[in-house]
């Protein structure tokens, strides 16, 4: 008989434990602590250099005076050009030359006395326009055309 009571007690425990407990969910309560910023531990040093309040560029009082020239003659690329210029105060004189693709040589001489640029352009030689012959020839087809078949 005690076995029957033990089995009955186990069945009752299982029946009672089968359901999940029902209770009201807990709402979390959050109370943030007040934030107090720490005192700064670093203080910026004083600058060692004090820039002037206003900078005025300084220009020389003497008028500009210079001479220069350059030239390029490259046989590999065919580049052939040059430039020369001289200046004394407001008076500027110069010239440049360049070989043009059509075979002529262009020369530009210019003068500026402070009142505007005056240029003189001249050409040496006669323009050459050779007949264009295309170098491309299409390759022959790598396969023979198919032979027609009739049914």
């Amino acid at each position: 008989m005690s076995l029957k009571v033990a089995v009955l007690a186990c069945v009752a425990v299982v029946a009672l434990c089968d359901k999940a407990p029902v209770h009201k969910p807990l709402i979390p309560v959050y109370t943030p602590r007040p934030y107090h910023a720490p005192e700064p531990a670093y203080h910026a040093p004083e600058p060692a250099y004090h820039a002037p309040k206003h900078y005025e560029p300084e220009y020389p009082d003497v008028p500009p005076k210079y001479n220069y020239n350059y030239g390029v003659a490259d046989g590999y690329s065919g580049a052939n050009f040059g430039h020369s210029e001289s200046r004394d105060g407001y008076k500027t004189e110069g010239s440049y030359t360049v070989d043009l693709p059509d075979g002529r040589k262009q020369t530009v001489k210019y003068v500026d006395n402070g009142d505007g640029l005056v240029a003189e352009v001249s050409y040496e030689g006669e323009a050459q326009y050779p007949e264009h012959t295309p170098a491309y020839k299409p390759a022959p087809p790598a396969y023979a055309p198919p032979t027609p078949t009739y049914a």
Side-chain angles (χ1 to χ4, degrees), residues 70-82 98-99:
Y70 69 88
V72 175
D74 184 16
Y76 179 74
S77 67
N80 188 8
F81 55 91
V98 62
D99 284 351

Side-chain angles (χ1 to χ4, degrees), residues 74-146:
D74 184 16
Y76 179 74
S77 67
N80 188 8
F81 55 91
H83 185 198
S84 65
E85 183 175 294
S86 63
R87 181 171 180 182
D88 188 6
Y90 286 109
K91 184 175 183 180
T92 305
E93 296 178 339
S95 67
Y96 60 89
T97 60
V98 62
D99 284 351
L100 299 175
D102 61 7
R104 297 179 295 166
K105 184 175 193 176
Q106 180 185 31
T107 303
V108 178
K109 295 179 183 178
Y110 57 90
V111 177
D112 185 3
N113 293 320
D115 56 355
L117 182 72
V118 178
E120 177 188 331
V121 181
S122 63
Y123 297 93
E124 295 176 18
E126 190 170 323
Q128 304 286 328
Y129 300 106
E131 186 66 32
H132 175 69
T133 55
Y136 171 75
K137 294 180 183 175
Y143 55 89

Side-chain angles (χ1 to χ4, degrees), residues 2 6 14 16 19 27 39 67 71 92 97 103-104 111 141 151:
S2 64
V14 168
L16 289 175
K19 296 180 184 175
I27 298 173
E39 292 294 323
N67 292 315
T92 305
T97 60
R104 297 179 295 166
V111 177

Side-chain angles (χ1 to χ4, degrees), residues 58-79:
E58 296 179 14
Y59 296 106
D61 293 332
V62 295
K65 185 173 186 178
Y66 61 85
N67 292 315
Y68 80 90
N69 60 14
Y70 69 88
V72 175
D74 184 16
Y76 179 74
S77 67

